[in-house]
Amino acid sequence: MEKGNVLYAKKGEYRFQEVFFNGHPANKQNPNPPPPPKPKKTDPPPEKPPEKPPESPPPKKEIKIPNVVKSKKVRHGFLKFIIFLLVVTVLAVAGGVTALLSRIDYARDNPDHAAVEEVAGTLQSDSQIQNIMIFGLDDHFDDDNGRADTMMLISIDKKHNALKQVSFLRDLYLPIFNQGEDKLNAAFAYGGAKLAIETIEYNFKIKIDNYIVLDFDSFIYIINSLGGLDITLTEEEINYIDWQSFRNHQVEVEDELMSTAPDFEGQTGVKVHVNGRQALWHARNRGQEGICSGDDFARTQRQSEVIDAVIEKVQSSSIADLIKIAYDVAPMITTNMNLPDTVKTSLGMPNYLKYKVDTHKVPQKFNFDYDTVNGASVLRISNFEEEKNALYEFVFNKNPN
């Protein structure tokens, strides 16, 4: 099992395996059981999570490991939504929904929509459109919230049979609800999912019905359990994956993936088979000077490619394998949906995954300016009214009033 294939159980989780999985094919002894839970951190967290220092630039045109490079923990916020799609799909088709969903952590910290409306006015909503906010967290201490590495709004539009994904860039600089201005991902650090949602509602006037928070180190485990993914990559993207794997001491060769890739023969990209670690590096790729071009917008496109590949793999995997994965992942999910609503959403997921998939980014690529605040790079929306209206049109399929 590769480094990073670690599952951490939540405190007080219920053990349903004896009841539900007795005699089930998924209850076979795991030849490579996950290692024990990591120890709790005891050092007190800082009052405000410090900004991450910029990485040293890599050597250009060569994939060479620097003389001294410390292994850095991989963080993969956005991709945790993939795991949620996997879990709810499996739960819906495999039976035993209630037992498995009971392993999820149900939160009680709900956004105060009324308080937001007192300041911002009526929040737009539609009974046939369910807006779910997905937060993928950076690493954090046990008693703080951490910063949201990824923030994605998923709209399940039963009126137009569409599954809509809205990516909010984490460096977006705007007013935090009832506080000063800061990066959007800092709202989660200050007040968890509650404040982050209130901030998005306050700025964009759209009601968010539910949220899901995922904070765990199991993405590599999940993809490897599925047998890897087949993804079309450019030569640059393969070089980036190989460079990151080598410089982080995860492999001993510099061309691990490139050595197995088909000949490009004039093609822009070729289909390659990637394991969990390689898929993770692709999804985290927002460009690196001398290795691969890209930015945050390119990264969201790469993440969408991984999502598509995971959904395709789930559809072709056995029920027994998927149940085992879902059972392991469920305790790592926190949501403010109650159990009946979670069951309802889970049962509908196989149908929702057949919907057309539309994507949108906030801010739009033409509607922002770069700025620096307290030494940190941020994005400021150029025309906020235009951005707000574009989001409204995307979510509700109609022009704002």
Side-chain angles (χ1 to χ4, degrees):
M1 181 175 292
E2 293 192 68
K3 181 179 178 181
N5 299 0
V6 184
L7 294 176
Y8 303 107
K10 287 185 177 291
K11 291 181 179 179
E13 66 173 278
Y14 296 101
R15 296 292 182 183
F16 290 90
Q17 194 162 4
E18 288 292 325
V19 177
F20 179 66
F21 290 97
N22 186 29
H24 195 282
N27 196 27
K28 294 180 180 179
Q29 180 67 29
N30 185 356
N32 296 295
K38 61 183 179 181
K40 290 185 178 179
K41 300 176 181 178
T42 56
D43 295 334
E47 293 185 3
K48 181 177 178 181
E51 294 290 334
K52 297 179 185 178
E55 293 186 357
S56 301
K60 298 182 179 181
K61 298 183 181 179
E62 291 185 331
I63 306 178
K64 295 291 185 181
I65 187 169
N67 291 332
V68 179
V69 176
K70 293 183 179 181
S71 180
K72 186 169 83 173
K73 184 174 181 178
V74 176
R75 291 164 178 163
H76 38 82
F78 170 91
L79 292 171
K80 289 139 190 172
F81 176 62
I82 295 175
I83 310 307
F84 177 73
L85 283 179
L86 171 65
V87 171
V88 295
T89 302
V90 172
L91 296 176
V93 300
V97 174
T98 302
L100 284 173
L101 287 178
S102 295
R103 291 168 58 79
I104 294 175
D105 181 18
Y106 293 95
R108 299 291 182 266
D109 194 17
N110 293 312
D112 191 341
H113 306 297
V116 176
E117 289 188 319
E118 285 182 7
V119 180
T122 303
L123 298 175
Q124 301 300 320
S125 63
D126 189 310
S127 60
Q128 291 187 273
I129 299 176
Q130 182 181 9
N131 290 325
I132 305 174
M133 198 71 196
I134 308 295
F135 295 100
L137 300 190
D138 228 338
D139 196 20
H140 63 97
F141 290 86
D142 291 335
D143 54 352
D144 73 353
N145 292 311
R147 289 206 174 201
D149 182 65
T150 299
M151 290 158 285
M152 171 180 283
L153 175 65
I154 302 298
S155 294
I156 303 174
D157 187 346
K158 289 169 276 190
K159 180 185 293 185
H160 304 99
N161 293 335
L163 188 64
K164 303 172 183 178
Q165 304 173 14
V166 181
S167 298
F168 291 86
L169 297 194
R170 60 183 182 176
D171 290 341
L172 187 58
Y173 198 77
L174 40 64
I176 307 301
F177 183 60
N178 282 339
Q179 300 192 39
E181 290 190 327
D182 208 327
K183 289 185 178 182
L184 179 56
N185 70 336
F188 197 100
Y190 300 150
K194 178 182 185 297
L195 180 59
I197 288 176
E198 290 169 348
T199 296
I200 292 173
E201 291 182 335
Y202 171 71
N203 283 279
F204 297 100
K205 313 300 188 289
I206 290 179
K207 183 178 180 181
I208 297 173
D209 303 300
N210 303 107
Y211 67 80
I212 298 166
V213 180
L214 305 103
D215 178 17
F216 53 94
D217 299 307
S218 62
F219 174 72
I220 294 176
Y221 169 85
I222 297 293
I223 299 302
N224 287 342
S225 296
L226 289 171
L229 305 174
D230 294 321
I231 303 179
T232 299
L233 301 175
T234 67
E235 187 172 3
E236 273 191 335
E237 290 170 336
I238 293 175
N239 284 336
Y240 178 86
I241 293 170
D242 282 342
W243 175 71
Q244 287 284 21
S245 296
F246 183 62
R247 73 185 291 269
N248 284 280
H249 306 291
Q250 295 171 325
V251 295
E252 296 180 355
V253 295
E254 299 176 273
D255 60 346
E256 176 197 32
L257 187 57
M258 185 63 77
S259 65
T260 63
D263 194 326
F264 281 85
E265 297 179 348
Q267 302 177 80
T268 303
V270 296
K271 181 165 286 190
V272 296
H273 187 77
V274 297
N275 59 30
R277 166 178 45 80
Q278 295 163 339
L280 175 60
W281 282 124
H282 178 60
R284 294 290 293 166
N285 181 3
R286 56 179 172 180
Q288 183 70 54
E289 184 181 358
I291 301 293
C292 185
S293 58
D295 51 22
D296 276 336
F297 294 95
R299 180 170 70 166
T300 57
Q301 175 60 37
R302 290 169 178 137
Q303 291 169 347
S304 295
E305 293 169 2
V306 175
I307 288 177
D308 292 340
V310 169
I311 292 175
E312 181 179 347
K313 199 61 180 284
V314 166
Q315 292 171 340
S316 62
S317 297
S318 72
I319 294 299
D321 289 342
L322 294 180
I323 289 176
K324 178 61 172 66
I325 297 172
Y327 191 84
D328 288 336
V329 171
M332 304 168 191
I333 296 173
T334 299
T335 180
N336 72 332
M337 284 191 284
N338 56 36
L339 182 58
D341 287 343
T342 308
V343 171
K344 181 179 178 181
T345 302
S346 300
L347 292 174
M349 191 58 67
N351 185 47
Y352 303 152
L353 293 178
K354 297 175 185 177
Y355 287 175
K356 64 178 180 178
V357 178
D358 297 324
T359 60
H360 183 77
K361 298 178 180 65
V362 176
Q364 298 171 94
K365 203 164 187 178
F366 60 83
N367 195 27
F368 73 92
D369 298 302
Y370 287 107
D371 197 2
T372 301
V373 178
N374 297 326
S377 178
V378 300
L379 303 177
R380 290 185 184 272
I381 293 177
S382 305
N383 187 325
F384 222 107
E385 193 67 20
E386 182 176 353
E387 196 68 35
K388 182 176 65 176
N389 290 343
L391 179 60
Y392 179 93
E393 291 179 33
F394 177 77
V395 173
F396 298 108
N397 275 50
K398 61 181 181 181
N399 295 325
N401 296 331

